[in-house]
Amino acid sequence: MRLENKRVIALVSADFEDLELWYPVMRLREEGAEVHLVGEKANETYMGKYGVPAVSDYAFKDVDPAEYDAILVPGGWAPDKLRRYPEVIEMVRHMDEQQKPIGQVCHAGWVLISAKILDGRNVTSTPGIKDDMENAGAIWHDEAVVIDGHIISSRRPPDLPPYAKAFADVLAEQ
């Protein structure tokens, strides 16, 4: 399996977009990656917008991003909460500094905005936060998937198949 020995952080908080968390997580696990759900608390059940639960493996404070190869940020309303945790911002900044894959879907762009890593980067997101992305210096595109080096972004659930494939492809090349 091409992603064997790859470790990925998947951030989770209440009101994540169910498919935007689970589709990429399952896709990466199918290819052999070890994906850990990481939330404010370990062993906490977080409910998605549509009622699908996710139990965190670890707490933000217990994770060393240097031990991981990539990070996934799901959309939904969770990004508005996730970006308020200094540990989350530090994880995203670490991944950016190390040029490790950062996946973001829909409203997840808010987390990357708060990490201040979008200036001059090509991205997409839900059109609802296009202005936020551009105000952070990003170059926004209305496309299913945009890859700018190690940042892989997507708009919404119908774009998940090409997004998950693109993320897996970038991760496999690391």
Side-chain angles (χ1 to χ4, degrees):
M1 290 199 244
R2 72 179 179 149
L3 298 181
E4 193 171 11
N5 299 318
K6 298 290 187 179
R7 300 180 79 217
V8 179
I9 295 167
L11 297 174
V12 65
S13 188
D15 298 319
F16 62 88
E17 206 298 337
D18 307 57
L19 288 173
E20 293 171 2
L21 173 70
W22 286 114
Y23 189 105
V25 166
M26 289 181 199
R27 174 78 166 77
L28 296 174
R29 286 177 176 167
E30 286 174 345
E31 292 214 40
E34 181 181 353
V35 183
H36 292 144
L37 302 184
V38 181
E40 180 184 9
K41 298 176 183 174
N43 300 308
E44 183 82 6
T45 299
Y46 297 93
M47 295 304 289
K49 283 173 46 178
Y50 303 107
V52 178
V55 178
S56 58
D57 299 302
Y58 299 103
F60 301 140
K61 65 180 178 56
D62 298 328
V63 170
D64 179 359
E67 296 177 0
Y68 288 84
D69 302 293
I71 191 167
L72 289 168
V73 187
W77 304 125
D80 190 37
K81 297 172 183 81
L82 289 168
R83 66 183 176 167
R84 300 175 195 193
Y85 294 99
E87 300 95 340
V88 169
I89 298 305
E90 287 308 311
M91 280 187 245
V92 171
R93 285 182 179 157
H94 173 84
M95 293 297 181
D96 185 54
E97 290 164 5
Q98 299 302 310
Q99 304 286 297
K100 293 180 179 180
I102 300 170
Q104 65 114 82
V105 185
C106 199
H107 287 84
W110 280 338
V111 176
L112 280 64
I113 288 169
S114 292
K116 298 182 179 8
I117 65 166
L118 290 181
D119 193 29
R121 301 273 176 77
N122 290 286
V123 295
T124 193
S125 67
T126 177
I129 66 165
K130 173 187 176 190
D131 291 347
D132 301 333
M133 301 289 274
E134 290 179 336
N135 288 338
I139 303 157
W140 192 87
H141 302 271
D142 188 10
E143 298 175 16
V145 178
V146 174
I147 302 170
D148 189 335
H150 63 286
I151 297 177
I152 304 94
S153 57
S154 192
R155 296 176 299 195
R156 53 187 157 255
D159 301 327
L160 287 169
Y163 164 72
K165 181 185 182 318
F167 187 87
D169 290 346
V170 172
L171 180 57
E173 294 171 8
Q174 294 287 309

